[in-house]
């Protein structure tokens, strides 16, 4: 069974850093594009960042303008885990962060999601 | 970025009703349009991809149509478990989502 399990969320002060993890099981995550999508409290879904499958585009990375230069997406193939390093956090980054798997190569269709991890940026 | 606009933002319906939700893209996205269902406190769940392809395990009362800039999600006969928020998402370029449509019980 394909599963994604996020961890690493919590309370952090503005300007601080946090690293989110997403452990994949039931499939080899490095073969698929993977993304982080966030949802602020009571709001809609907002794409944050993606990394392509290694076999497709060699793990190319993409970022929303709102996080470019502050967030870094990466993966550890040996651990079958996706990461999101978040620096210079702002109050507006407060959200539940989901990792999601792409349905296939050359698509950005999210066919599997984790349960989410809450990041709260507040002093 | 491609902007996605959903309507209505919310609707009230009864079990057994036919429900239609629309999604409009700010530019043509061919058929690269997907629909998700989200229940409170849960992750989104893929219902339909590429406008009209039903994801495995999704009931056939869900269907999608459209092309270019205008798309619809139809629930042919609303069931109690369908009360949720629905999001459209374009996968033509960098993904963007619609604002959501909350389907509530009348």
């Amino acid at each position: 069974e394909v599963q994604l399990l996020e961890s690493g969320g919590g309370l952090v002060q503005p300007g601080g850093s946090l690293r989110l993890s997403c452990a994949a099981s039931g499939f080899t995550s490095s073969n698929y594009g993977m993304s982080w999508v966030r949802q602020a409290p009571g709001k809609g879904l907002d794409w944050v960042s993606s990394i392509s499958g290694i076999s497709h585009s060699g793990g190319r990375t993409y970022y929303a303008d709102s996080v470019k230069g502050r967030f870094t997406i990466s993966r550890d193939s040996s651990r079958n885990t996706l990461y999101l390093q978040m620096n210079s956090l702002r109050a507006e980054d407060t959200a539940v962060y989901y990792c999601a798997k792409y349905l296939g190569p050359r698509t950005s269709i999210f066919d599997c999601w984790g349960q989410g991890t809450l990041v709260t940026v507040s002093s | 970025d491609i902007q996605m606009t959903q309507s209505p933002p919310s609707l009230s319906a009864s079990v057994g009703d036919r429900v239609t939700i629309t999604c409009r893209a700010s530019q043509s996205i061919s058929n690269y349009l997907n629909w998700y269902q989200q229940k409170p406190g849960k992750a989104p769940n893929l219902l339909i991809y590429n406008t009209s392809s039903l994801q495995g395990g999704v009931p056939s009362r869900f269907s999608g149509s459209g092309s270019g800039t205008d798309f619809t999600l139809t629930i042919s006969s609303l069931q109690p478990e369908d009360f949720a928020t629905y999001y459209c998402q374009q996968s033509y370029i960098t993904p963007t989502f619609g604002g959501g449509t909350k389907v509530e019980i009348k």
Side-chain angles (χ1 to χ4, degrees):
Chain A
E1 181 188 4
V2 173
Q3 286 191 325
L4 298 169
L5 183 64
E6 302 95 337
S7 61
L11 175 64
V12 61
Q13 292 187 337
S17 298
L18 214 52
R19 189 179 81 157
L20 306 183
S21 300
C22 172
S25 59
F27 72 106
T28 302
S29 62
S30 58
N31 290 341
Y32 290 83
M34 301 285 295
S35 277
W36 290 96
V37 177
R38 67 186 179 185
Q39 187 169 36
K43 302 296 184 183
L45 301 167
D46 186 28
W47 171 79
V48 173
S49 179
S50 296
I51 185 167
S52 65
I54 288 176
S55 58
H56 173 220
S57 302
R60 186 175 295 184
T61 59
Y62 306 86
Y63 299 94
D65 287 344
S66 58
V67 306
K68 201 172 294 182
R70 300 188 298 123
F71 291 11
T72 302
I73 191 172
S74 63
R75 59 165 40 116
D76 183 335
S77 299
S78 66
R79 297 179 184 268
N80 211 20
T81 299
L82 179 74
Y83 300 102
L84 185 68
Q85 177 67 42
M86 305 186 295
N87 299 331
S88 303
L89 283 161
R90 306 166 180 167
E92 55 264 36
D93 296 319
T94 294
V96 173
Y97 284 73
Y98 296 100
C99 69
K101 166 188 167 290
Y102 284 158
L103 181 63
R106 299 181 183 86
T107 75
S108 52
I109 301 166
F110 306 109
D111 74 330
C112 181
W113 300 64
Q115 87 291 346
T117 187
L118 176 63
V119 172
T120 302
V121 184
S122 175
S123 54
Chain B
D1 288 3
I2 298 176
Q3 309 304 315
M4 307 300 295
T5 304
Q6 279 182 244
S7 60
S10 65
L11 64 90
S12 295
S14 301
V15 172
D17 283 354
R18 181 182 181 88
V19 169
T20 298
I21 298 168
T22 65
C23 181
R24 175 165 288 176
S26 60
Q27 68 182 73
S28 177
I29 57 171
S30 184
N31 71 328
Y32 295 99
L33 191 283
N34 315 303
W35 292 97
Y36 301 85
Q37 178 193 67
Q38 186 179 34
K39 296 182 178 179
K42 301 295 187 181
N45 181 51
L46 177 66
L47 296 175
I48 289 171
Y49 62 96
N50 291 342
T51 298
S52 59
S53 296
L54 207 61
Q55 175 69 342
V58 174
S60 60
R61 62 181 179 273
F62 291 93
S63 64
S65 63
S67 67
T69 60
D70 295 308
F71 302 87
T72 60
L73 171 69
T74 300
I75 309 172
S76 60
S77 177
L78 198 66
Q79 298 302 299
E81 59 269 30
D82 300 337
F83 292 96
T85 300
Y86 294 84
Y87 292 94
C88 63
Q89 175 242 332
Q90 61 81 15
S91 50
Y92 184 70
I93 56 171
T94 305
T96 49
F97 294 87
T101 295
K102 186 174 184 178
V103 177
E104 299 175 301
I105 300 172
K106 181 183 284 185

